[in-house]
Amino acid sequence: MRPNVIVFFTDQQRWDTVGPFTPNLDRMARHGTQATVALTPQPVCAPARAALQTGRYPTTTGVHRNGRVLPPEERTLAHHFGAAGYATGYIGKWHLGGGEPVPADRRGGYQSWLAANALEHTSDAYRTIVYDEANDPVLLPGYRSDALVDAAIRYVADHHEEPFFLFVSFLEPHHQNEVDNYPAPDGYEERYQGRWTPPDLAALGGTAHQHLGGYLGQVKRLDEGLGRLLDALRSMDLLDDTIVAYTSDHGNHFKTRNGEYKRSCHDASLRVPLALRGPGFDGGGAVSRPVSTIDLPATLLEAAGLPVPESMQGRSFLPLVRNPRAAWPEEVFFQVSESEVGRGIRTSRWKYYAVAEGAHPWDDPASDRYREQALYDLDNDPHELVNLAGFPSHAGVAAELRQRLVRRIAEAEGAEPVIEPAVERPAPPQAMTDPEVRLSGSKPVRFGHQRPPGTR
């Protein structure tokens, strides 16, 4: 019997918000499998979502920025699971259909539909409006993330006698666009305001002082919703037969790296939570090698016993769950758009990033020429506060990572660009000038070890 599959998908959730604020997710990760270093292939909504639906890079699908429609010829998870006899359902935010309501031919092949293209524009915290299969508006009662969890539980109850693939896409903990605020449920912002600030935000400022309480309150309520969904599966005797994957489209740097919340090369933008439980993942422990959410589609298909299409550019990390020493790339490749046309890789220890200086960040999906812009030693600078690009002490490391990035761009995009070295700069502080710098290193940290002082 093939397992059911549910993707619990949040929006703009930093990787380090799990553990202290998410006991249900922490429990799920400890019981199942956690990817300790998971990155999005593109730190902005639509491109990340297109990659997660198709297992293909944003430049391949054509959805390299927001406002682009997923081409109808692209095959999604819904197509693959549907062809195998699964009921397929989508609930929540889509952001790949171009407008409201999303016509049937732009829904990625999902059979059941209760969604909005841009949920942030059709709803607010206590007024959730989505559209059904007939494109009629539906008002869902309750706080927004609760309303979507309720809809997901109803879907599971309606389809419990057949294999199903359900994708539940939340807006939280994304900001409410028109007011630039993070509306948590009543009382939740006050619970977390001023209690903990991630080190990068403490060092760099931004809007964390005004937004972090509401943001963490939203994360807490999402986790409570995850717990309710798992309880519902257990009550219907489906929990042991259902794969549940939890992840997000990108992170949030709270206007510290540029003028908004994402679209940068930093872990605050790129790194997301990723945990799975159910058949194939229970008792799997931690996957410590860096993976990308573009790998999740292939992973879910393989775990369900379905073939992985050759057209997918992501690859299943299920072999890493079974054997931590299985063959796997040493780096994760990512693209950046809208703020700039950027390309980068992240290894266990290093972050290397280059930008196309002459490219238009909105119109140009790629370039044939980039310049090295950032190099971070994540072992010694995990919060990416010291940019080593251009320092002679790290020229050898940069040269090796530059070759790797060129190779990954060619593999993903079909063209080999030129990457020019960064302009040489004076040597950094003595602590960062080890002439024997190595390309390996870094120790992963599990969710439960990210607990700030004073949290439960």
mmCIF file of all heavy atoms in Angstrom, residues 10 151 218 235 267-268 307 338 344 368 409:
data_model
loop_
_atom_site.group_PDB
_atom_site.id
_atom_site.type_symbol
_atom_site.label_atom_id
_atom_site.label_comp_id
_atom_site.label_asym_id
_atom_site.label_seq_id
_atom_site.Cartn_x
_atom_site.Cartn_y
_atom_site.Cartn_z
ATOM 1 N N THR A 10 5.059 26.541 4.865
ATOM 2 C CA THR A 10 4.933 27.884 5.419
ATOM 3 C C THR A 10 5.595 28.901 4.489
ATOM 4 O O THR A 10 6.243 28.537 3.510
ATOM 5 C CB THR A 10 5.554 27.949 6.823
ATOM 6 O OG1 THR A 10 6.980 27.757 6.737
ATOM 7 C CG2 THR A 10 4.953 26.883 7.727
ATOM 8 N N ALA A 151 -9.357 23.207 6.997
ATOM 9 C CA ALA A 151 -9.672 22.731 5.638
ATOM 10 C C ALA A 151 -8.871 21.484 5.302
ATOM 11 O O ALA A 151 -9.380 20.565 4.642
ATOM 12 C CB ALA A 151 -9.396 23.845 4.627
ATOM 13 N N GLN A 218 3.184 34.013 15.035
ATOM 14 C CA GLN A 218 2.653 33.293 13.878
ATOM 15 C C GLN A 218 3.273 31.895 13.780
ATOM 16 O O GLN A 218 2.578 30.912 13.482
ATOM 17 C CB GLN A 218 2.939 34.075 12.596
ATOM 18 C CG GLN A 218 2.157 35.354 12.449
ATOM 19 C CD GLN A 218 2.496 36.086 11.157
ATOM 20 O OE1 GLN A 218 3.628 36.005 10.660
ATOM 21 N NE2 GLN A 218 1.541 36.803 10.608
ATOM 22 N N SER A 235 -6.116 10.080 14.807
ATOM 23 C CA SER A 235 -7.473 9.679 15.169
ATOM 24 C C SER A 235 -8.145 8.867 14.070
ATOM 25 O O SER A 235 -9.055 8.070 14.334
ATOM 26 C CB SER A 235 -8.317 10.917 15.487
ATOM 27 O OG SER A 235 -8.646 11.634 14.304
ATOM 28 N N ASP A 267 22.021 33.119 4.740
ATOM 29 C CA ASP A 267 21.220 32.048 5.296
ATOM 30 C C ASP A 267 19.893 32.551 5.844
ATOM 31 O O ASP A 267 18.900 31.820 5.846
ATOM 32 C CB ASP A 267 21.988 31.328 6.411
ATOM 33 C CG ASP A 267 22.841 30.187 5.884
ATOM 34 O OD1 ASP A 267 23.035 30.106 4.650
ATOM 35 O OD2 ASP A 267 23.328 29.382 6.700
ATOM 36 N N ALA A 268 19.855 33.797 6.312
ATOM 37 C CA ALA A 268 18.599 34.358 6.801
ATOM 38 C C ALA A 268 17.534 34.361 5.711
ATOM 39 O O ALA A 268 16.342 34.243 6.003
ATOM 40 C CB ALA A 268 18.824 35.781 7.314
ATOM 41 N N PRO A 307 8.203 6.579 -9.762
ATOM 42 C CA PRO A 307 9.419 6.926 -10.498
ATOM 43 C C PRO A 307 9.699 8.425 -10.447
ATOM 44 O O PRO A 307 8.771 9.245 -10.431
ATOM 45 C CB PRO A 307 9.103 6.467 -11.931
ATOM 46 C CG PRO A 307 7.612 6.451 -12.014
ATOM 47 C CD PRO A 307 7.127 6.069 -10.658
ATOM 48 N N GLU A 338 15.263 39.599 -8.777
ATOM 49 C CA GLU A 338 14.499 40.778 -8.362
ATOM 50 C C GLU A 338 15.354 41.845 -7.690
ATOM 51 O O GLU A 338 15.313 43.005 -8.066
ATOM 52 C CB GLU A 338 13.312 40.389 -7.482
ATOM 53 C CG GLU A 338 12.304 39.508 -8.204
ATOM 54 C CD GLU A 338 10.983 39.378 -7.459
ATOM 55 O OE1 GLU A 338 10.755 40.108 -6.477
ATOM 56 O OE2 GLU A 338 10.167 38.535 -7.872
ATOM 57 N N GLY A 344 24.905 31.393 -6.483
ATOM 58 C CA GLY A 344 25.774 31.045 -5.383
ATOM 59 C C GLY A 344 25.723 29.578 -5.046
ATOM 60 O O GLY A 344 24.873 28.824 -5.540
ATOM 61 N N ASP A 368 25.755 35.986 -18.739
ATOM 62 C CA ASP A 368 26.946 35.230 -19.118
ATOM 63 C C ASP A 368 28.182 35.704 -18.369
ATOM 64 O O ASP A 368 29.272 35.189 -18.570
ATOM 65 C CB ASP A 368 27.176 35.309 -20.625
ATOM 66 C CG ASP A 368 27.357 36.741 -21.116
ATOM 67 O OD1 ASP A 368 27.348 37.696 -20.289
ATOM 68 O OD2 ASP A 368 27.503 36.929 -22.345
ATOM 69 N N ILE A 409 26.282 26.201 -12.313
ATOM 70 C CA ILE A 409 25.476 27.028 -13.215
ATOM 71 C C ILE A 409 25.309 26.329 -14.552
ATOM 72 O O ILE A 409 24.208 26.269 -15.120
ATOM 73 C CB ILE A 409 26.111 28.422 -13.402
ATOM 74 C CG1 ILE A 409 26.077 29.216 -12.095
ATOM 75 C CG2 ILE A 409 25.376 29.202 -14.503
ATOM 76 C CD1 ILE A 409 26.835 30.535 -12.162
#
